[in-house]
Amino acid sequence: RLTDDDGLTAGILDDASVAILPYNPFPTAKEKKAIRSFLRGKGKLMVFYSADQALAGMMDLGIGPYKSWDAGGRWSLIRFNSNAPAGVPETVLQESRNIRPVHPVRGKASVIGSWETSDGDATGDPAWVQSEQGLWMTHVLLDDGDTMAKQQMLVALLGSLEPAVWPAATKRLLAEATCLGKYPSFDVALRSVENRGRGKPGEAQIAGWLKEARTIEQSIGESSKAGHYAEALRDIPRIRKALFSAMASTYDNRPGEFRAVWDHAGTGLYPGNWEKTCD
């Protein structure tokens, strides 16, 4: 169910177990009253980039000073730790240029993921914090790549708040990963890639990747049937990688072909050092 700031009342949350605030920096008094009632009723929150101290307090968190870094490369990767829920990826790429840190208070919350620089250095800034009331990310979720890892992350985090989402969410994520964006099913994708690979220089390697994809798909099915959805979730990027590698190998390089990437800042990840950015 979707609603806007004006529509968020206690009534709309009556039959919900989780509420997601994708970007609500300053909830109104009416909203906070509804959220407080929701939490008292054992509801859970997933909050992104809020600046409201009262909302943070409801989740046993405190908001630190706003931080920004225009040059880029400061907050480039989220690394999850051993406190994170089962099924989250080890790392998720995201190039954030500003964050609003939150920190656990009264020992009732814990950091489950922290920001690293594009050099792989720890920043000491929390990216995700978890308390009994839910989860909080210190920036918004950007659509800037690493899509599979972000989807896996969201499914695992939501599953930790509401286990009922696991079956449908895992099934949907698997379907998206195995259709390669263009095929109606995993079986059709396999047959198509197999046909495209016949006679190619890398035909044996393509066949090996497809065999690996079938094996992983079977393992995911067995894990899901047993209710081990976190295990299934961790295998989904592997099947995507195998299928994608096989599919990519069926394409021949064209004469004069070149490849490029988009850099929003126009400076590279390391301003003044294009060689390092390209590496």
Side-chain angles (χ1 to χ4, degrees):
R1 179 184 296 178
L2 298 175
T3 186
D4 57 15
D5 287 322
D6 294 333
L8 182 58
T9 62
I12 202 170
L13 296 174
D14 281 349
D15 59 351
S17 57
V18 179
I20 301 174
L21 306 183
Y23 180 55
N24 303 73
F26 296 106
T28 65
K30 180 180 176 182
E31 288 178 279
K32 284 184 280 191
K33 181 179 179 181
I35 291 170
R36 188 174 288 107
S37 175
F38 176 64
L39 291 174
R40 286 173 179 165
K42 306 303 181 183
K44 305 291 184 181
L45 292 180
M46 180 180 283
V47 180
F48 294 83
Y49 199 44
S50 183
D52 193 278
Q53 291 283 4
L55 177 62
M58 294 180 207
M59 298 181 68
D60 293 317
L61 304 173
I63 297 180
Y66 169 82
K67 296 183 178 183
S68 65
W69 192 270
D70 291 337
R74 174 66 179 172
W75 302 290
S76 300
L77 177 144
I78 299 168
R79 184 175 298 279
F80 287 97
N81 59 39
S82 59
N83 293 323
V88 298
E90 181 180 345
T91 61
V92 174
L93 295 170
Q94 173 162 306
E95 186 64 34
S96 293
R97 304 220 169 197
N98 47 78
I99 63 170
R100 196 176 295 276
V102 293
H103 303 279
V105 297
R106 297 190 295 275
K108 294 184 178 181
S110 60
V111 175
I112 63 170
S114 300
W115 290 105
E116 292 185 2
T117 69
S118 53
D119 282 324
D121 297 326
T123 65
D125 293 319
W128 280 96
V129 183
Q130 184 170 29
S131 71
E132 289 196 12
Q133 292 75 33
L135 294 151
W136 189 299
M137 184 179 175
T138 57
H139 197 213
V140 294
L141 194 64
L142 299 176
D143 185 16
D144 63 348
D146 210 10
T147 303
M148 281 294 299
K150 287 181 178 177
Q151 290 176 333
Q152 179 185 349
M153 174 185 74
L154 287 176
V155 170
L157 293 178
L158 282 171
S160 73
L161 300 179
E162 175 48 84
V165 308
W166 275 113
T170 304
K171 182 178 180 180
R172 174 65 180 270
L173 196 56
L174 177 61
E176 290 185 3
T178 55
C179 291
L180 295 173
K182 62 184 291 184
Y183 299 110
S185 70
F186 175 58
D187 289 338
V188 173
L190 280 177
R191 289 197 301 270
S192 177
V193 176
E194 189 174 37
N195 290 336
R196 287 182 56 88
R198 288 198 176 97
K200 298 288 183 180
E203 182 176 0
Q205 189 175 37
I206 292 169
W209 275 319
L210 294 179
K211 181 180 179 181
E212 181 182 353
R214 290 188 185 94
T215 301
I216 298 170
E217 195 267 348
Q218 183 178 1
S219 175
I220 291 173
E222 292 171 354
S223 296
S224 297
K225 187 175 181 180
H228 302 154
Y229 293 105
E231 293 180 16
L233 193 62
R234 282 193 293 265
D235 277 339
I236 291 176
R238 294 178 56 224
I239 195 171
R240 168 73 175 183
K241 182 178 180 181
L243 278 174
F244 194 86
S245 298
M247 182 68 172
S249 297
T250 67
Y251 287 90
D252 299 318
N253 293 332
R254 299 178 181 180
E257 180 180 31
F258 72 93
R259 303 175 190 193
V261 296
W262 170 258
D263 173 40
H264 180 73
T267 62
L269 289 175
Y270 310 90
N273 193 338
W274 276 107
E275 187 172 341
K276 188 175 182 180
T277 292
C278 291
D279 286 342

